[in-house]
Amino acid sequence: MSTAVAFGILIGISGVIFYILPYGKDLEENIGIALLFKLRGTRQAPPDVVIVSIDKSCADKLNLPNDPEKWPRSHHARLIDNLRREGASVIAFDIFFKEARSPDDDNLFANAISTAGNVVIVESISRENIAFDEGVNAGNLTIEKLIPPISLFARSSAAVAPFPLPKVPVKVSQYWTFKTTAGDTPTLPVIAFQIFALNVYDEFIKLMERSNPSITDRLPRDLGTRVNVGEVVGVLRDIFKSYPIIAGNMLEELNITKTPSVDTKKRQLLKSLIKMYQSPDSQYLNFYGKPRTIRTIPYYEVLKLNEESAVNQASFDFKDKAVFVGSSEASQPEQKDGFYTVFTESSGLDISGVEIAATAFANLIEDMPVKPPPVYIQLSMILIFGIFMGILCRLFSVAVFTSIVLGTGLIYLTAVFYQFKTGGAWYPLVTPLFFQMPFAFFGGLACKYRDSNKERQHIKEAFKYYLPDNMVEELSKNIASVKSSAQIVYGTCLYTDAEGYTSLSEMMDPGELSSLMNRYYKTVFNPVKEQGGIVSNVIGDAMLAVWVTAEDDTASRKKACLAALDIKKALHNSTYKDAQLQTRIGLHSGHISLGSIGAEDHYEYRPVGDIVNTSTRIEGLNKLLGTGMLLSEEVLNGVDGLLTRRLGKFLLAGKSKPIIIHELLCKAEDSNQEERDICVLFSEAYEEFIKQSWEDAARNFQELIMKHGEDGPSLYYLTLCGNFKNNPPQETWDGVIR
């Protein structure tokens, strides 16, 4: 569990770091919010905003150039008069009138603006980079300067306001409510909204006064007279910034129980107005859809209102509407005022500046811009999401955590999308789903692979106590081979058996016996491993070891003999002799079947064949001959450097073919003269035995015993000589002892 928590914390912290880096923020804004808009699609814009579009079709209809700057301003005057008569609440021109034209037309336009009293005209912003050199503070200073339209129009309008937007390749996703670098100037949508909300302005001022009576003297109370709306908005903005709690107090005061007389529409308008002044300097745009999603009416159609030739005048309802006038083309080739947004069409058609201004205004009305939660909430979500994902991907299996990760990701996406669609809330999307989830998933896979590999290594290490290395490696790659791994090889089998084990097991406590046998087998196994053998099987006090080669190999047979000598030496130097664990050894060589033996759900890896059985019989012959290490002539054939003595030809129990047996004494280099003399004397005596010279043979065996002490094989043959003297074997006797 601790590793899972640690992995989860790693995923969480990595996500937080990724998110706060500029690259992560850019991805969230360029991909995350774009994905949410694409999933949401088009949504209905509020009916309170209308766009009057100036485009090529209008220019053609009015027989004018396709450049609004060159249109007669008398047309704009007629447009304002018509909109005023239709009851428009506010008229915002997203056209910069930077120079005077025809005096008659300009005066006509100015009079129309003044008469309407609700016209806002856009002003421009110029940027100037000034280099300065003041020692360590040397650098460039960017100064933004507001450039109003010609004074005739500026004086006549209710307000002038900028609406700066970046051009391509920057994707437009937010706008300034107040341009801080230009003196905290309110922008076009803010001014338009304040004029639009004039019918609730008195209630708005009263709410401010009740929320903080100390600011009564500062409140601009009357917008009905000829005042600059921009200045009023600036004063109100300063109050909200100076008294941050005033917005919350006003919203609380606006509660239905405290102001039951305010109808629902006014209440929503007041709430939106409060939120506008409370808002940050910039807000994310909650686009309604592709270009012309907001209700758009051609300029020339509005000019024809109240004319007898006008068509469907009833469909052009401008009463109490905010009207935005500006360039807005229906196709890309003619577009001159377009901005790259999430809803830029594949044809290249962008959303125009006037549409973005109208979108911002509509967001203010609904109080539904795209709103990211506070940074601490975003970071907390990312951290918790990462920890959760990391823990899941470490605790569960790959199949389970894959399903959980996909399910959790889908639930998270659904929840984020729902919040975005219903309330404009924008929660992190790219970092959790496209960074943390893959990181957790593939990190979890890597950890599972590492764990699996570690488990495999542990299993392999464990199996090496039971199986040879090559078999363990084969099984680790293909478990199916466990049933088909048997192969015919040439092998030398070494079989051991401890004397006195049965009686010892009766006398000793099982725990003590187990400890003793573990130490015993450690002593016995080491020489086998050192000489390259495989411990194939252990039963009670007996061990079977094999040396395997593809074909008969003298070197491997010699290694088996050396292992037998080392076992004898190691046991002699140990304390096992005190426990009467003297060990008998038998060796035999030949072809065997080596592999898995068993059925159903139980298999053992061991050699099978006559060679194995014969080695056990040879080991048993030690007891009869009073020896410790016996081997067949098949083992000894071609092996040099060893001192052995031939003991005869024996037909072992259960066998049909006799084999020649030798006693393994020691390495030739380690032998002494007495051992060599014993071998010579025994050989001479054995020759007399084969000739059936029982008395001579018995005399020689007796002489060997008298000269060198008790000798098991000599005693055995001495007894046979006496038996054969009284009961001679058949005439065809071949020297085989049965």
Side-chain angles (χ1 to χ4, degrees), residues 254 292 338 375 385 420 479 484 499 507 576 586 590 597 680 703:
L254 192 59
R292 299 209 169 193
V375 174
F385 185 87
F420 180 80
I479 191 64
S484 58
E499 295 182 9
M507 294 185 298
Y576 301 120
I597 303 299
V680 172
E703 182 181 347

Side-chain angles (χ1 to χ4, degrees), residues 370-446:
V370 170
K371 299 183 291 287
V375 174
Y376 74 90
I377 291 180
Q378 300 177 48
L379 298 181
S380 298
M381 287 180 61
I382 291 171
L383 181 64
I384 293 171
F385 185 87
I387 292 174
F388 179 71
M389 281 293 171
I391 291 175
L392 289 180
C393 292
R394 284 298 283 125
L395 283 183
F396 297 100
S397 65
V398 174
V400 173
F401 80 62
T402 298
S403 302
I404 294 176
V405 165
L406 292 176
T408 304
L410 183 60
I411 292 171
Y412 181 85
L413 176 61
T414 303
V416 169
F417 172 67
Y418 176 80
Q419 292 295 323
F420 180 80
K421 182 178 180 180
T422 57
W426 171 31
Y427 291 96
L429 193 65
V430 173
T431 301
L433 296 186
F434 302 119
F435 176 75
Q436 287 180 300
M437 270 183 54
F439 188 6
F441 179 79
F442 290 108
L445 284 180

